[in-house]
């Protein structure tokens, strides 16, 4: 191993980060505007500097090794810090202006984004932010939004996606509902309870059946495709609903049921056009959202 691993080249680190996020040398090279051989040499140089194997080839794709996964979290933090330092040093964040459209689900848009946007307003007060509350990833492809927050990884090759965290959800009901209908003590008890639907009830049942919940469409007598409306129906005592723990905990009137149930784990992805690497305003918003959503509790 290099006896001075603290003196590696930042360009090599950037090559590693792009390769890890894009999944291949060719895609990472396109993002950074480099040739694939050049990028490959930079990644190999970082491995040599650190004395670690960071990637292994599986078929035509690259997968991070254990050492690579451990390094990735630190490198992402370094990259975000470097971007913030560069912006602050040049006084650029205050000068960045123009419109950035962010698309997210109704619940994310209403309950989570405002706190992030307050931070953004402080960093770049001249930016104009438009929040598009929708679940359709095609908003990005039609250029109707610049940045998307989604719970599935976009597969479109023209998009850049970053997994910012794995979040957890459980089932909740209003205390008034549970006082009137009783608190379920087992999965079997759920068969006699009402549930609030979030759109397609058949699809929701497909998610719930593997959890051992004995539910049918008859349990879903009310609901809405609008996440804010569906959650409000649960808050008003119409039935049980799944919800992201961080949001549910904010409402003292909501009570988690069957706390021994394992959590529903879901990813939070940020996606944007490849313009991310050339637009200062989109890069600033993307990095701030990644930092905020990655640390939200």
């Amino acid at each position: 191993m290099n006896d001075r691993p603290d003196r590696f080249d930042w360009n090599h680190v950037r090559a590693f980060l792009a390769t890890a996020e894009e999944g291949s040398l060719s895609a990472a090279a396109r993002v950074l505007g480099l040739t694939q051989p050049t990028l490959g040499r930079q990644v190999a140089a970082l491995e040599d500097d650190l004395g670690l194997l960071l990637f292994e080839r599986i078929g035509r794709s690259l997968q991070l090794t254990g050492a690579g996964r451990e390094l990735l979290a630190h490198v992402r933090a370094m990259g975000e810090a470097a971007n913030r330092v560069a912006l602050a040093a040049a006084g650029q964040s205050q000068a960045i202006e123009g419109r950035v459209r962010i698309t997210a689900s109704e619940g994310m848009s209403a309950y989570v984004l405002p706190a992030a946007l307050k931070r953004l307003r402080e960093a770049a007060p001249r930016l104009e932010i438009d929040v598009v509350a929708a679940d359709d990833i095609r908003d990005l492809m039609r250029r109707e939004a610049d940045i998307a927050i989604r719970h599935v990884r976009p597969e479109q090759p023209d998009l850049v996606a970053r997994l910012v965290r794995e979040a957890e959800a459980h089932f909740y009901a209003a205390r008034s509902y549970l006082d009137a209908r009783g608190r379920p003590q087992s999965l079997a008890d759920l068969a006699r309870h009402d549930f609030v639907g979030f759109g397609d009830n058949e699809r929701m049942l497909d998610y719930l059946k593997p959890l051992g919940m004995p539910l049918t469409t008859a349990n879903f007598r009310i609901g809405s495709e609008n996440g804010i409306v569906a959650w409000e129906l649960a808050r008003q005592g119409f039935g049980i609903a799944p919800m992201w723990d961080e949001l549910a905990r904010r409402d003292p009137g909501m009570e988690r049921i069957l706390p021994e149930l394992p959590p529903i784990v879901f990813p939070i992805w940020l996606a944007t056009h490849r313009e991310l690497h050339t637009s200062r305003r989109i890069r600033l918003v993307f990095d701030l959202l990644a930092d905020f959503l990655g640390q939200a509790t």
Side-chain angles (χ1 to χ4, degrees), residues 93-126:
S93 62
Q94 294 292 315
I96 291 177
E97 58 185 23
R99 173 175 291 189
V100 177
R101 304 192 77 190
I102 303 168
T103 181
S105 67
E106 292 93 350
M108 179 75 73
S109 298
Y111 303 129
V112 178
L113 274 184
L117 298 182
K118 286 183 179 179
R119 293 189 188 180
L120 182 60
R121 174 64 60 85
E122 295 174 356
R126 297 173 65 178

Side-chain angles (χ1 to χ4, degrees), residues 71-86:
L71 181 65
L72 180 59
H74 300 294
V75 167
R76 278 179 173 156
M78 289 171 61
E80 291 163 5
N83 287 330
R84 289 194 294 268
V85 168

Side-chain angles (χ1 to χ4, degrees), residues 267-287:
I268 298 178
W269 288 90
L270 271 181
T272 188
H273 314 289
R274 295 193 179 277
E275 183 185 354
L276 165 69
H277 298 278
T278 59
S279 169
R280 289 190 300 142
R281 70 176 186 276
I282 293 178
R283 180 88 216 194
L284 174 68
V285 176
F286 190 95
D287 288 343

Side-chain angles (χ1 to χ4, degrees), residues 177 181-185 188-195 214-215 219:
Y177 170 86
R181 297 287 298 274
R183 287 163 174 77
Q185 301 299 313
D189 290 345
L190 296 178
R192 60 181 178 82
H193 280 273
D194 294 329
F195 279 71
L215 304 178
N219 294 99

Side-chain angles (χ1 to χ4, degrees), residues 250-267:
R250 299 179 186 181
D251 194 323
M254 299 301 287
E255 186 174 321
R256 181 172 153 185
I257 67 164
L258 297 177
E260 71 278 5
L261 284 180
I264 301 170
V265 179
F266 61 95

